[in-house]
Amino acid sequence: MKIVCVYRDERYSPNYVEKDRAILDAVGEKLREKGCQVTFVREAELSGIDADACLSMARSARALQIERESGVWCVNAPEGVALCCRRISLDQLMRAEKVAMPPLQGSNGCWLKRGDSSTETRGDVVFCATEADEQKALAAFRERGISEVVRSAHVEGDVVKFYGVGDGQLFRCYYPSDDGISKFGDECRNGSSHHYAFDERQLKEEVCRLARAVGVQVYGGDCVVRADGSFAIIDFNDWPSFSRCREEAATAIASLIIHLSPISSKVNSKSVNSKYKNVNIQGDASGIV
């Protein structure tokens, strides 16, 4: 089988360029061991796809359009990636699907995220302790030309990072405060983990349900586990670095590709929630300011 692997552009990997590259390299090596012909290309250099399958960490509109037009089966599907990247649309889907997530309002401050793209710089996700902080942050977004912002209440509890492949073939959870691995250190807002007891199986089911609704098969994110064991998913992304379980994840992803490769690209695109699959830079959603 001939497979093209697309590296993520550096602007979409803030502080994680090497780790994002490492997971794709690891998957490629696993596939070569299985007899696949694997080539790699940078996202900015992608001009067409001549292969049986495409493993893509790309996020730019240009690259996703090339993937769509190629008709080649892609993991992740470009429609699902576009939905993950457009935070307003993702927030809208999560609330429509009644995913366990933070409320819009709360008494412990709030978080603002740029709504038109995935995180590219530290300033794309901002904590606001007061209303004055929120207005200042909104003004800063506007100065950068960002008019769409997603708002959610701050949730107190343990920050838990999760990684997933397929419909739960791999699902792992970790506490960022235990190992200190972080892109921007935002997890420190919740302090050291108390390791509150929670139902990991329930979290897995909820995350897998969200992944199916979005239409991605390689995914990750963060949630906050409250003292009572309930949780709220605060972030969800296409193809994370799997830095805490890279070897295990690479094996799972390679196995996924081998077993699902006969499926046509039509199946891949149909997995995306039809209400949200045609994501572009237009539209609005609940939770935006």
Side-chain angles (χ1 to χ4, degrees):
M1 181 175 12
K2 187 177 180 180
I3 299 175
V4 170
C5 298
V6 185
Y7 289 120
R8 181 170 293 155
D9 192 88
E10 292 186 4
R11 69 181 172 123
Y12 299 117
S13 296
N15 300 329
Y16 262 53
V17 173
E18 293 182 358
K19 291 178 180 178
D20 280 349
R21 187 181 183 93
I23 180 59
L24 197 60
D25 285 341
V27 175
E29 183 58 31
K30 296 292 183 183
L31 289 169
R32 282 173 174 159
E33 291 174 359
K34 294 178 181 292
C36 297
Q37 180 183 343
V38 182
T39 58
F40 292 84
V41 62
R42 295 178 183 274
E43 178 172 348
E45 298 171 353
L46 184 66
S47 59
I49 303 174
D50 179 17
D52 301 306
C54 174
L55 276 63
S56 178
M57 296 183 73
R59 286 179 173 172
S60 67
R62 172 187 167 278
L64 296 180
Q65 186 61 31
I66 291 173
E67 292 172 6
R68 288 191 190 98
E69 293 176 350
S70 73
V72 173
W73 180 64
C74 295
V75 175
N76 285 306
E79 296 86 355
V81 176
L83 184 50
C84 283
C85 290
R86 184 163 167 74
R87 294 302 184 179
I88 279 182
S89 297
L90 179 62
D91 182 85
Q92 183 183 35
L93 181 147
M94 291 175 68
R95 295 191 186 282
E97 295 291 326
K98 301 187 184 304
V99 171
M101 60 188 298
L104 297 176
Q105 304 293 332
S107 58
N108 297 302
C110 71
W111 290 89
L112 300 181
K113 296 181 181 180
R114 67 179 300 172
D116 62 336
S117 174
S118 58
T119 301
E120 296 181 20
T121 68
R122 186 183 185 88
D124 289 344
V125 181
V126 182
F127 174 74
C128 305
T130 66
E131 184 176 348
D133 290 341
E134 185 173 350
Q135 293 305 313
K136 183 178 179 181
L138 288 172
F141 277 119
R142 288 193 294 269
E143 288 178 3
R144 295 171 56 199
I146 300 172
S147 60
E148 299 172 317
V149 179
V150 177
R151 182 187 195 278
S152 61
H154 175 70
V155 179
E156 295 189 328
D158 294 339
V159 176
V160 175
K161 181 169 288 293
F162 56 81
Y163 301 110
V165 175
D167 199 22
Q169 283 86 343
L170 173 77
F171 189 79
R172 297 289 181 268
C173 296
Y174 301 89
Y175 292 88
S177 68
D178 287 357
D179 58 26
I181 300 175
S182 174
K183 283 187 178 181
F184 299 116
D186 289 335
E187 298 89 348
C188 295
R189 180 69 55 181
N190 287 65
S192 298
S193 295
H194 297 82
H195 296 90
Y196 295 130
F198 72 101
D199 189 337
E200 186 173 329
R201 181 176 179 179
Q202 182 182 6
L203 174 61
K204 174 182 176 179
E205 292 175 350
E206 187 75 341
V207 171
C208 289
R209 182 171 73 87
L210 175 56
R212 289 193 296 271
V214 173
V216 293
Q217 296 164 315
V218 181
Y219 49 88
D222 302 90
C223 73
V224 175
V225 177
R226 303 180 181 92
D228 64 0
S230 64
F231 57 81
I233 296 175
I234 60 173
D235 198 21
F236 184 79
N237 298 290
D238 60 289
W239 206 315
S241 68
F242 292 94
S243 59
R244 296 169 173 86
C245 56
R246 183 181 301 131
E247 188 69 16
E248 187 180 14
T251 298
I253 296 169
S255 179
L256 181 81
I257 300 304
I258 295 299
H259 286 94
L260 295 185
S261 58
I263 299 176
S264 71
S265 60
K266 291 182 180 180
V267 173
N268 211 14
S269 63
K270 285 181 179 179
S271 67
V272 183
N273 189 311
S274 60
K275 182 178 179 181
Y276 304 92
K277 71 181 281 189
N278 295 318
V279 177
N280 52 40
I281 60 170
Q282 307 299 321
D284 55 14
S286 60
I288 65 173
V289 293

